[in-house]
Amino acid sequence: MTPAEKEVADLCVELIRVDSSNYGDGSGPGERAAAEVVMARLDEVGIEATYIESEPGRGNVITRVEGSDPSLPALLVHGHLDVVPANAADWSVDPFAGEVRDGYIWGRGAVDMKDMDAMMLALLRQLKREGRKPRRDLVFAWVADEEAGGVYGAKYLTAHHPELFEGVTEAISEVGGYSLEVDPSLRLYLIETAQKGLAWMKLIADGTAGHGSMLNSDNAVTEIARAVSRIGDHDWPLTYTPTVRTFLTEVADAFGIPFDENDPQPILDKIGPLVRFVGATLSNTTNPTQLTAGYKSNVIPGQAEAVVDGRFLPGFEDEFFKTIDTLLGPKVRREFVHHDIALETTFDGALVESMIAALKAEDPAARAIPYCMSGGTDNKTFFADLGVRGFGFVPLRLPVDMDFAAMFHGVDERVPVEALQFGVRVLDRLLLNY
């Protein structure tokens, strides 16, 4: 077992024990303590790193490893240090104790994404100790605030310190590289190559305020309710992007079933709980999430509001908003709460070939396939603005009975120790040979 394999679990535990919960309103503890752990462990082996605070407590760590061939473009390897909050009363363990039980590390961030943070750290420490050089420059970044939009992390770094990413053309980060076992002779490894766009929209209806006992044909509450109902009930059609089509074709082939474009459900049934990741990538989606109106039971308000979480497929943003504006009706307008692009790259090139080779070397039963993620990561949000081609690749060979999708932001989040060790081996092959 390599030094990185031996220490990756301990590093993951150490990071989980640092509460870096991101509440999205600035009230959390921030990422500084977690960043200090990273800095300390790098310093132990003589690695210099840059620490940047975008705001007090919002810590980011970046270091560059020089490659042996300066003519090659650099690769960015990044992870976020913040985690979503955890209600300890809901958990069977302390979410910030980093408990190791039954071969798993339990705790908030175990898969999202202090597992990758630890793998990056363990591998970097091993490379330094052994004096090995990668072929190309590698930029390692542990960033803040991904769970609340990246304002204090990737957005700040790319806007104020773009020089740190000079020469970078590609990146790997969350959520991809994990396995789906078909049978003992075949495991599919899902590599994220596309992400849906995001449109959190505030809907606003203006009407005529008045007494609740009187007739009112210009009721803002009624108008907003109708618009929310139309949008929430809209049946978005099945739409196959190139990534989704390839994914479904590969899964159908692996399980020996046909791919019927009019009924993809038999294929989705085969992937089990992972359908949470990919089921929503077969169409645009709109889910109403908030309603606000009025201040007294007998007063008709002059304005009513709602919030809708909209997600659109790569290449279908214009069509998405055209449909939304039709569903709103003439008396309701929309504003953005948050708006991000959709992103899709092809499943080809030297980096993809290197990922496939690294997986196959550690798991001869591996077959890598692309997939589209219904959410978003820092790969899309800001690094794409620098022209960086991003992939989700945190290699984990998972137990066949593990509900991996439920771990993300879920109760009793955990990651297998053996999966971390597998990931370190795969990343070692990838980063040294690519």
Side-chain angles (χ1 to χ4, degrees):
M1 187 177 289
T2 66
E5 289 177 80
K6 290 178 181 177
E7 70 175 10
V8 66
D10 289 340
L11 291 169
C12 187
V13 166
E14 185 177 17
L15 287 168
I16 287 172
R17 288 176 177 171
V18 178
D19 182 355
S20 52
S21 298
N22 189 343
Y23 293 90
D25 59 3
S27 64
E31 298 84 2
R32 179 173 181 169
E36 287 175 343
V37 169
V38 173
M39 293 287 287
R41 297 296 164 254
L42 293 176
D43 184 65
E44 277 181 351
V45 295
I47 297 174
E48 294 184 3
T50 301
Y51 176 74
I52 296 173
E53 282 196 354
S54 50
E55 291 285 342
R58 310 311 299 269
N60 301 272
V61 181
I62 303 94
T63 189
R64 182 182 285 256
V65 180
E66 184 178 326
S68 60
D69 187 347
S71 69
L72 294 174
L75 174 68
L76 171 64
V77 186
H78 62 98
H80 61 83
L81 292 169
D82 61 324
V83 298
V84 295
N87 182 6
D90 296 334
W91 288 55
S92 59
V93 299
D94 181 342
F96 297 104
E99 183 175 332
V100 181
R101 183 203 297 179
D102 301 326
Y104 288 78
I105 300 171
W106 298 60
R108 176 58 83 219
V111 300
D112 190 14
M113 62 173 300
K114 290 180 176 177
D115 57 344
M116 182 60 164
D117 294 333
M119 286 191 279
M120 292 162 57
L121 195 51
L123 182 57
L124 194 49
R125 284 161 59 89
Q126 178 174 292
L127 296 183
K128 180 65 175 180
R129 284 169 170 153
E130 296 177 350
R132 291 188 293 160
K133 266 193 172 185
R135 292 181 62 236
R136 66 189 66 234
D137 282 11
L138 302 175
V139 178
F140 286 77
W142 293 263
V143 303
D145 198 38
E146 192 276 343
E147 296 292 2
V151 172
Y152 300 108
K155 182 177 183 179
Y156 182 87
L157 293 174
T158 53
H160 298 279
H161 298 279
E163 72 281 357
L164 294 171
F165 309 102
E166 183 179 354
V168 171
T169 59
E170 294 170 310
I172 60 171
S173 187
E174 60 177 349
V175 176
Y178 52 88
S179 67
L180 166 65
E181 185 164 317
V182 177
D183 59 51
S185 67
L186 177 59
R187 272 175 291 277
L188 303 178
Y189 285 84
L190 281 61
I191 298 176
E192 181 259 297
T193 60
Q195 300 179 17
K196 293 180 76 174
L198 183 150
W200 291 343
M201 299 170 286
K202 179 188 286 186
L203 313 185
I204 304 165
D206 295 307
T208 301
H211 199 287
S213 67
M214 298 180 181
L215 296 174
N216 189 320
S217 59
D218 188 30
N219 190 313
V221 176
T222 302
E223 291 299 332
I224 205 73
R226 288 172 178 159
V228 167
S229 179
R230 286 191 295 267
I231 291 172
D233 288 340
H234 183 68
D235 187 15
W236 294 95
L238 287 173
T239 304
Y240 297 108
T241 63
T243 296
V244 171
R245 184 181 297 279
T246 300
F247 171 81
L248 293 173
T249 300
E250 291 279 2
V251 173
D253 177 71
F255 284 95
I257 60 176
F259 172 22
D260 180 355
E261 291 192 9
N262 295 315
D263 182 18
Q265 194 58 48
I267 300 175
L268 298 178
D269 290 343
K270 290 293 185 181
I271 66 175
L274 289 181
V275 73
R276 296 191 191 98
F277 279 147
V278 299
T281 64
L282 276 67
S283 69
N284 298 324
T285 59
T286 41
N287 286 306
T289 56
Q290 293 177 277
L291 286 169
T292 306
Y295 59 91
K296 198 171 185 294
S297 58
N298 65 342
V299 176
I300 299 170
Q303 190 173 87
E305 298 179 353
V307 174
V308 172
D309 184 332
R311 311 281 174 140
F312 50 88
L313 293 166
F316 292 88
E317 181 173 358
D318 290 345
E319 178 182 306
F320 173 83
F321 286 117
K322 182 178 180 180
T323 301
I324 289 294
D325 290 341
T326 299
L327 295 171
L328 286 177
K331 294 186 177 181
V332 180
R333 65 185 188 277
R334 62 175 171 87
E335 298 175 356
F336 284 125
V337 177
H338 190 66
H339 178 210
D340 277 340
I341 62 170
L343 198 65
E344 184 169 33
T345 189
T346 53
F347 192 59
D348 57 15
L351 178 56
V352 170
E353 292 172 2
S354 295
M355 288 190 285
I356 293 171
L359 287 168
K360 290 283 288 184
E362 293 299 330
D363 182 4
R367 183 198 293 183
I369 64 173
Y371 88 102
C372 178
M373 182 183 173
S374 58
T377 72
D378 283 336
N379 263 343
K380 174 184 72 176
T381 314
F382 305 112
F383 292 120
D385 292 341
L386 297 181
V388 176
R389 184 185 184 210
F391 295 87
F393 189 70
V394 178
L396 298 171
R397 179 174 168 176
L398 301 172
V400 66
D401 59 348
M402 182 178 181
D403 185 353
F404 187 59
M407 299 296 102
F408 286 79
H409 299 189
V411 172
D412 287 341
E413 183 181 348
R414 57 197 181 274
V415 65
V417 172
E418 288 186 354
L420 291 182
Q421 294 168 341
F422 172 84
V424 164
R425 295 194 301 271
V426 173
L427 288 174
D428 184 287
R429 290 181 180 274
L430 172 65
L431 300 181
L432 267 293
N433 296 323
Y434 171 53

